[in-house]
Amino acid sequence: MRYKLNILGTRGVPAAYGGFETFAERLSLFLVDKGWEVTVYCQSCGRGSLSESFWKGIRRVEIPVRRDDGLGSMMFDWKATHHALSQEGIFLTLGYNTAIFNLLQRLKGQTNIINMDGIEWRRAKWGRSAKAWFWMNEYAACRIGNHLVADHPVIKEHLIARARPEKITVIPYGADEVLDADSRQLASYGVEPGHFSVVIARPEPENSLLEIVRAFSRTERGHKLLVLGDLKPERNPFHRSVMSAASDEVIFPGAIYELFIVQALRFFSRFYLHGHRVGGTNPSLVEALGAGCAIIAYDNPFNRWVAGSGAAYFGDEEACADLLDELLTDETSVRYMKAASRERFRAGYKWSDVLNEYERLLVHWYPA
């Protein structure tokens, strides 16, 4: 039998946006190499009709939409779901933000596995209407999906209120192990190996960016902090408050998408600071483990399960500052934390392990 997989819910491949796109690319390439036929629905901005192309053996169904915002994503999901009704094989939907559309697939008799991502309706950035929409679609996904994937045990516990435990499989996010990197990539940011720490996050309040910058900037540290992210202080008051709170030792290089540069920044950093308060298995945290980073993370069950006991945890700005005061000059602790991250990564976050788990699940649910 030649298996066929159709992936919905992402902006498409090749990956150029976020974690789901990276996962879709890695899973697609992995399955194509094993003989699967893989179709990925791809969103583009513009007008015109649907088109098809192939990239590294992956069939790309490209759907243009006129808007590049949340409404545009909904329009894309609707068109992709409607087109998917005519396709064969099994379906994997990444995210539940428009799960109500997947009812069409259920009525058609198609087998659809839904990756439930994080608890989107709890995010502080959304207003009441958006939170209500996400809550409704999370509920719908639990009913409509043939099977659900949670990327974290806490996400599974959350979903059990709406779906039977046996309907949910926990598979975390994956990453590559980084054993070496090009230190020359650091020069343009004015930092040297081991003499800087890094934060990689969308600049939103729920990612503790302001607390981390304030904690770091309380005193002169003889150390740099690189904050990677697309900050627009001229348009966003929160971004402006983050940059205003920064000392001269904080560097804002903007968003960096070149993988080799990001890997070098992680690999040569003294600490990776992770302030995410909500969500499941965060891709950036897993990638930090894979790079052998010493991790200082916001204290919640999501981050503790991913990073394990080898990381250090803070609950507020004061605790973050105390950890920086204590650990920045503690060579023994840094070496231990870096080794613990590698051990934690190898225990279950390698792409090979994650992708094999997905293939086993897809084969198990493949329609007869």
Side-chain angles (χ1 to χ4, degrees):
M1 177 187 294
R2 187 169 174 83
Y3 294 117
K4 298 179 180 180
L5 172 66
N6 304 274
I7 299 178
L8 301 97
T10 81
R11 289 189 172 228
V13 297
Y17 184 72
F20 264 158
E21 285 70 27
T22 299
F23 167 70
E25 178 179 316
R26 296 301 292 259
L27 179 64
S28 298
L29 293 172
F30 173 81
L31 293 177
V32 165
D33 191 54
K34 300 190 77 172
W36 285 65
E37 292 181 17
V38 180
T39 296
V40 179
Y41 286 88
C42 305
Q43 179 179 346
S44 64
C45 187
R47 300 174 180 269
S49 57
L50 175 151
S51 62
E52 295 187 13
S53 62
F54 280 85
W55 178 76
K56 294 188 177 182
I58 303 166
R59 176 184 173 224
R60 301 174 71 252
V61 177
E62 187 169 342
I63 300 175
V65 292
R66 294 188 298 272
R67 303 173 62 111
D68 190 22
D69 56 11
L71 183 57
S73 294
M74 291 175 62
M75 293 167 59
F76 164 73
D77 287 342
W78 170 254
K79 292 180 179 181
T81 303
H82 189 266
H83 183 272
L85 296 175
S86 64
Q87 305 303 296
E88 298 178 346
I90 194 168
F91 298 80
L92 176 63
T93 300
L94 301 178
Y96 62 79
N97 292 355
T98 55
I100 192 68
F101 299 163
N102 298 125
L103 177 60
L104 298 174
Q105 292 176 275
R106 192 62 186 259
L107 295 174
K108 179 80 173 182
Q110 293 177 330
T111 301
N112 187 20
I113 295 173
I114 302 178
N115 182 307
M116 296 299 290
D117 197 16
I119 308 174
E120 192 68 24
W121 53 269
R122 284 188 182 171
R123 296 188 186 277
K125 67 179 180 179
W126 301 120
R128 289 185 179 180
S129 297
K131 287 183 176 182
W133 171 260
F134 291 134
W135 186 94
M136 179 189 71
N137 277 280
E138 180 189 79
Y139 183 88
C142 290
R143 295 288 191 267
I144 292 169
N146 297 85
H147 196 75
L148 310 176
V149 174
D151 67 10
H152 194 290
V154 174
I155 298 295
K156 178 174 181 175
E157 291 174 13
H158 166 75
L159 296 174
I160 284 174
R162 298 169 175 80
R164 305 182 311 276
E166 60 271 20
K167 188 177 180 177
I168 310 165
T169 297
V170 175
I171 307 177
Y173 193 81
D176 293 314
E177 186 167 19
V178 180
L179 298 173
D180 196 9
D182 183 1
S183 61
R184 293 173 298 180
Q185 301 302 326
L186 308 181
S188 59
Y189 304 103
V191 295
E192 298 177 355
H195 293 281
F196 70 96
S197 296
V198 65
V199 181
I200 304 174
R202 289 194 178 103
E204 298 167 356
E206 65 195 32
N207 292 337
S208 307
L209 213 57
L210 182 58
E211 290 83 354
I212 291 172
V213 169
R214 281 177 174 168
F216 183 87
S217 301
R218 284 189 175 198
T219 184
E220 185 176 342
R221 300 193 179 276
H223 189 84
K224 301 291 187 181
L225 177 66
L226 265 69
V227 180
L228 276 62
D230 187 17
L231 283 87
K232 296 183 172 65
E234 69 283 357
R235 294 192 304 184
N236 188 303
F238 175 72
H239 296 182
R240 190 160 54 249
S241 66
V242 170
M243 298 185 78
S244 297
S247 71
D248 292 339
E249 295 179 305
V250 181
I251 301 169
F252 295 95
I256 301 173
Y257 297 107
E258 292 82 3
L259 180 60
F260 64 96
I261 297 177
V262 176
Q263 286 181 338
L265 291 173
R266 285 197 182 101
F267 184 79
F268 291 110
S269 68
R270 189 167 187 82
F271 290 103
Y272 172 79
L273 288 96
H274 186 79
H276 291 59
R277 300 177 193 172
V278 297
T281 300
N282 181 266
S284 188
L285 184 55
V286 176
E287 288 160 1
L289 293 175
C293 294
I295 292 171
I296 298 176
Y298 183 80
D299 193 359
N300 62 26
F302 300 109
N303 297 335
R304 279 191 175 271
W305 184 81
V306 175
S309 60
Y313 297 93
F314 66 91
D316 55 24
E317 179 185 325
E318 189 75 30
C320 184
D322 289 344
L323 285 174
L324 291 168
D325 293 343
E326 173 188 348
L327 294 173
L328 274 175
T329 57
D330 187 344
E331 297 290 343
T332 301
S333 292
V334 172
R335 286 195 297 270
Y336 166 76
M337 293 168 73
K338 286 179 176 288
S341 287
R342 291 210 178 274
E343 183 178 353
R344 185 70 175 170
F345 173 78
R346 291 166 181 167
Y349 298 105
K350 295 183 294 184
W351 271 127
S352 57
D353 296 335
V354 171
L355 299 178
N356 274 306
E357 284 192 64
Y358 265 95
E359 185 184 26
R360 285 192 290 270
L361 181 65
L362 292 169
V363 169
H364 176 78
W365 279 94
Y366 201 84

